[in-house]
Amino acid sequence: MASRVLRCLITPPIHFSPPIRFMVPPDSSVCFRVVGAMMERGLRVVIDDHPLIVFASDGHDFRPVEVNALIVYPGETYDFAIKTKPAASAGMKKK
């Protein structure tokens, strides 16, 4: 099964940083945890062409909420999931 590269932009809202890349399997759910371990400013988390399904904050679960971006401030943690697209719809070839 081929993997798909997701571009994940994690950057302070005012500045630009190069995207972080993750290899993920197509047509699956992938969970992430973001920890706000910075000193002053918040971070904006965006994953290209994928809504974020946020389901926990600071260790407390809540009803999942679908968002396009997530702002994480110092000391906060968020858990979220994404549903990756099937290989065929992503224009990928299986190996």
Side-chain angles (χ1 to χ4, degrees), residues 32-87:
F32 294 90
R33 173 169 287 155
V34 177
V35 178
M38 58 288 209
M39 295 290 283
E40 297 177 9
R41 298 186 179 172
L43 296 175
R44 183 172 59 108
V45 179
V46 178
I47 298 182
D48 285 354
D49 301 323
H50 291 83
L52 310 177
I53 303 163
V54 184
F55 58 88
S57 174
D58 297 330
H60 300 284
D61 295 340
F62 52 81
R63 183 173 298 146
V65 177
E66 188 173 298
V67 298
N68 292 322
L70 182 63
I71 305 293
V72 181
Y73 288 98
E76 294 180 330
T77 61
Y78 284 94
D79 295 334
F80 66 91
I82 61 163
K83 175 77 172 117
T84 60
K85 298 177 180 170

Side-chain angles (χ1 to χ4, degrees), residues 8-12 17-20 22 34 43-46:
C8 179
L9 181 61
I10 302 176
T11 178
S17 296
I20 298 169
F22 295 96
V34 177
L43 296 175
R44 183 172 59 108
V45 179
V46 178

